[in-house]
Amino acid sequence: MAVLAVLAAMFIHLLVTNEAFNWSFMVDRMFRPPIIEGLLRGTVLMTVTAMVIGVTLGVVIAVMRLSENPILRGVAWLYTWFFRAVPRLVLLAVFGNIGILWSRIEFGVPFDTQLGQLFGIDNLQLRLFGFSSRDILTGFMAGLLGLALSEAAYMAEIVRAGIQSVDQGQTEAAQALGMSRGQLLRRVVLPQAMRVIIPPTGNETIAMLKDTSLLLYVPVSVELFFQLDAVGKRTFQIFPMYVAACLWYLFLTSILLVGQYFLERHFGKGYGTAGRARLRLRGMAAEAGGNPGEVKP
Amino acid sequence: MTELAIPGQAGAPAAESDLMVRAEQVHKSFGSIEVLKGIDLEVRPGEVACLLGPSGSGKSTFLRCINHLEKINAGRIWVDGELIGYRERGGKLHEMREKEVAAQRRSIGMVFQRFNLFPHKTALENVTEAPLLVRKEKRAEVRDRAAALLERVGLGDRLHSYPSQLSGGQQQRVAIARALAMQPKLMLFDEPTSALDPELVGEVLDVMKDLARDGMTMIVVTHEIGFAREVGDSLVFMDGGVVVERGNPREVIADPKHERTKAFLAKVL
Ligand SMILES: Nc1ncnc2c1ncn2[C@@H]1O[C@H](COP(=O)(O)OP(=O)(O)OP(=O)(O)O)[C@@H](O)[C@H]1O
Ligand SMILES: [Mg+2]
């Protein structure tokens, strides 16, 4: 105990006295508009969109993986294999430079020119629509794509584990009531799988928030860490700005942790009477004038 | 439509349309193991048919074939004159699409040994779920009907309880109400009381007796000999994937003809 106190005191001493921290400079810079904009767009908005796409696509891939169709199963397996095998940082660097591959991204019949030649038509073009890759694959879009596609692979595994954790009897009961596959998945299996899916998804969201800092390598300039890093390098005050980054990420992830707690509580309803009993006990303790915080799980 | 005009099939049944369930030479294998080796069964509307047999004899499997939870490998099953799971075209059977099978299941209620209530929904929501989702009925109507059904099974005061807050007997009664909410013409029970503590068996059997009195057609897999004797209109004894003996429950139980039936009854009585 005494040892801990001494260590803590030493740490605080370091924080306060070491020049390298330069607290006043850090506080002055960490709330400037470009940094706040980077935080809102590159970190928060990016996390939210990447997770929404990642979760949605992840559910689709998980359902494909569990389907009876071998082709769908194979595609889903290939997808998760690829996006889990390539490190995120590398993936982001690749997506950041994908513009080199095509100057225009077009959707249409593949191999149209080649097919046209087969039928003796010169230069057949079956492009449905297209756009310059520079318009669409801006840093932000490239980064979003990289993060979302990679997230979908991890989410697919989480969702699959969640679906498989639901008792087979639930599916049978729903089928016996005349529900279709889609209905029973949406109304019976997935809501129950949520109990298993939510906690790791919370962790994934927190990891995603932190991984937005990897966007530095796309690069995405409207992003918290990019901005803090830039300020640090410009002013030769690198360390204070990295400490600022730590503080910002600590703050943001703490908010997410609170959100995760409430989500887990919501999806735990109907399971075991422990949670409810605890709530009741708290109510009773409060009524009796006791400390409501006393009842520990 | 109930005319049976299959080439090469001798002796079409005369009164098929009068039957609620008709199974003909039902075969079912899991891999190389043949679990059902040609089951025949006829159940009239309003009849309570009890299915007895030792563990592993294929009772559950047969019951699950009736609502196509299991695909049969050979034979045919009709419920209320409708061929289950397959469509007959030009003397050949074509498997139905998933949506059509789901539609057929709507009029067949099923109650499971382990209740299989939806744990994330209250008793009332468990009962209203399928009518709302599958039959797209009006919420208010469904709610009233569900509340009345739960009242009928003696749970009028537990509408908003989650399954985890109910005893096994109560859960099973909710499960019966849930199946009844789809207004089925046939109810399948797979050992509905086997997972219950002995003192809770009675309350579930009472609900089932009440249903039987009301004229519901029921196929009940059970080890409750008393129930079979008291409520059953017919008894079917299965062993090793075949029907060994059948008849009036009181007669079969009092005087079984077959050795295997005798041995089984000696054990459970
Ligand atoms: N999905 C399955 N895959 C493989 N074998 C199965 C499957 N379902 C059932 N069986 C086998 O089929 C046989 C019959 O099983 P079934 O559950 O129909 O018996 P039962 O008469 O209902 O027995 P019990 O009284 O124990 O419920 C058993 O040998 C069982 O192991
Ligand atoms: Mg069984």
Side-chain angles (χ1 to χ4, degrees):
Chain A
M1 196 56 214
V3 178
L4 276 179
V6 169
L7 282 176
M10 279 168 69
F11 183 64
I12 290 167
H13 178 81
L14 171 83
L15 289 184
V16 174
T17 57
N18 195 311
E19 291 286 292
F21 280 102
N22 203 348
W23 292 104
S24 60
F25 177 84
M26 185 198 86
V27 172
D28 176 41
R29 292 304 180 101
M30 73 185 280
F31 298 105
R32 296 256 173 118
I35 292 179
I36 299 298
E37 200 202 344
L39 174 127
L40 290 179
R41 288 185 54 194
T43 308
V44 175
L45 180 66
M46 182 67 89
T47 303
V48 172
T49 14
M51 282 311 292
V52 168
I53 299 174
V55 169
T56 315
L57 192 57
V59 171
V60 172
I61 293 167
V63 171
M64 281 168 67
R65 187 77 192 273
L66 295 171
S67 87
E68 290 179 1
N69 183 326
I71 296 170
L72 292 183
R73 270 207 313 267
V75 170
W77 181 86
L78 208 69
Y79 183 96
T80 39
W81 167 74
F82 179 82
F83 280 100
R84 292 204 313 158
V86 180
R88 245 180 211 177
L89 183 64
V90 176
L91 208 58
L92 286 172
V94 169
F95 274 86
N97 292 285
I98 214 160
I100 293 169
L101 226 50
W102 306 283
S103 56
R104 284 179 61 76
I105 294 189
E106 292 174 319
F107 293 88
V109 180
F111 303 111
D112 50 355
T113 321
Q114 291 85 338
L115 277 174
Q117 276 162 5
L118 276 180
F119 293 98
I121 307 166
D122 270 339
N123 212 5
L124 175 74
Q125 301 238 323
L126 292 173
R127 312 272 148 95
L128 302 180
F129 59 95
F131 24 72
S132 161
S133 71
R134 221 157 295 135
D135 299 339
I136 179 96
L137 274 181
T138 54
F140 187 88
M141 287 308 280
L144 175 61
L145 216 56
L147 288 178
L149 293 185
S150 133
E151 186 56 40
Y154 292 97
M155 281 311 302
E157 291 299 290
I158 291 171
V159 173
R160 184 165 70 108
I163 291 177
Q164 284 176 331
S165 76
V166 178
D167 180 14
Q168 182 63 26
Q170 293 289 308
T171 303
E172 289 181 358
Q175 281 179 325
L177 287 165
M179 290 190 205
S180 67
R181 279 250 150 236
Q183 286 173 330
L184 73 89
L185 206 60
R186 259 185 300 117
R187 302 284 306 184
V188 176
V189 176
L190 279 177
Q192 293 182 59
M194 283 303 170
R195 249 170 80 250
V196 175
I197 293 173
I198 289 285
T201 304
N203 296 338
E204 286 293 309
T205 310
I206 289 166
M208 175 60 80
L209 187 106
K210 294 186 287 182
D211 280 359
T212 53
S213 60
L214 299 176
L215 294 172
L216 187 65
Y217 293 87
V218 172
V220 177
S221 56
V222 194
E223 186 269 315
L224 180 64
F225 190 56
F226 186 99
Q227 290 295 330
L228 290 169
D229 182 68
V231 172
K233 287 190 172 129
R234 205 164 54 234
T235 59
F236 299 105
Q237 292 286 350
I238 292 181
F239 196 70
M241 293 330 278
Y242 284 177
V243 173
C246 291
L247 293 178
W248 269 126
Y249 286 115
L250 272 172
F251 170 70
L252 293 169
T253 43
S254 305
I255 295 177
L256 287 184
L257 283 171
V258 173
Q260 190 179 12
Y261 168 78
F262 283 105
L263 262 180
E264 278 176 32
R265 214 174 60 169
H266 172 74
F267 281 101
K269 77 177 175 198
Y271 291 93
T273 44
R276 251 152 250 286
R278 202 153 63 233
L279 285 178
R280 270 201 302 278
L281 275 172
R282 267 189 205 161
M284 269 148 52
E287 274 167 30
N291 176 4
E294 265 171 11
V295 185
K296 293 263 159 51
Chain B
M1 113 154 244
T2 48
E3 265 286 302
L4 206 67
I6 309 150
Q9 187 120 41
E16 189 203 319
S17 57
D18 298 338
L19 292 173
M20 182 54 80
V21 180
R22 184 177 142 71
E24 194 180 84
Q25 283 304 302
V26 173
H27 289 257
K28 172 70 190 174
S29 305
F30 292 109
S32 59
I33 304 161
E34 190 170 40
V35 175
L36 301 180
K37 302 169 181 165
I39 305 284
D40 294 311
L41 182 76
E42 293 186 354
V43 181
R44 285 168 286 105
E47 180 176 336
V48 176
C50 294
L51 221 53
L52 263 70
S55 182
S57 57
K59 307 180 297 292
S60 300
T61 306
F62 177 61
L63 209 61
R64 292 155 56 80
C65 288
I66 297 177
N67 65 357
H68 208 57
L69 280 179
E70 301 286 359
K71 287 182 188 142
I72 59 179
N73 301 111
R76 285 173 175 75
I77 298 173
W78 292 264
V79 172
D80 202 16
E82 215 180 306
L83 191 59
I84 292 294
Y86 298 88
R87 181 186 307 288
E88 199 142 17
R89 237 185 279 128
K92 280 187 86 176
L93 291 183
H94 301 269
E95 201 170 340
M96 276 187 183
R97 276 179 289 125
E98 193 231 315
K99 283 245 161 22
E100 299 169 287
V101 175
Q104 285 187 329
R105 289 192 185 123
R106 278 165 214 172
S107 52
I108 306 173
M110 187 161 199
V111 174
F112 300 86
Q113 185 173 356
R114 283 169 49 247
F115 330 136
N116 295 349
L117 288 180
F118 306 136
H120 57 305
K121 293 182 187 297
T122 62
L124 186 66
E125 289 166 348
N126 263 278
V127 180
T128 57
E129 180 67 16
L132 287 176
L133 185 71
V134 177
R135 300 218 309 204
K136 312 265 190 281
E137 291 181 67
K138 289 208 188 69
R139 185 166 288 275
E141 273 169 36
V142 172
R143 211 213 95 99
D144 290 347
R145 193 167 81 225
L149 278 170
L150 284 168
E151 183 72 45
R152 180 176 170 191
V153 299
L155 291 168
D157 55 339
R158 302 308 298 269
L159 301 189
H160 303 293
S161 302
Y162 283 94
S164 61
Q165 299 165 322
L166 299 173
S167 74
Q170 291 171 328
Q171 288 188 56
Q172 194 60 298
R173 286 184 281 150
V174 174
I176 294 173
R178 175 176 71 174
L180 291 175
M182 289 296 280
Q183 299 172 318
K185 35 193 181 189
L186 168 69
M187 286 284 285
L188 309 174
F189 292 84
D190 190 359
E191 300 195 36
T193 58
S194 298
L196 297 177
D197 292 337
E199 73 268 25
L200 302 178
V201 168
E203 62 190 49
V204 172
L205 290 183
D206 284 343
V207 168
M208 292 170 62
K209 284 175 199 167
D210 178 49
L211 258 183
R213 264 195 303 275
D214 247 33
M216 175 62 77
T217 315
M218 299 162 54
I219 302 181
V220 185
V221 174
T222 186
H223 292 305
E224 296 292 331
I225 302 298
F227 177 86
R229 191 161 39 199
E230 190 185 334
V231 186
D233 296 307
S234 60
L235 184 151
V236 175
F237 178 75
M238 278 176 70
D239 194 5
V242 295
V243 173
V244 174
E245 186 165 353
R246 68 179 92 211
N248 177 301
R250 286 156 290 279
E251 288 166 16
V252 174
I253 291 165
D255 180 25
K257 297 278 178 292
H258 204 283
E259 279 311 314
R260 280 191 281 180
T261 320
K262 273 180 204 161
F264 176 78
L265 286 173
K267 256 182 261 162
V268 292
L269 274 175

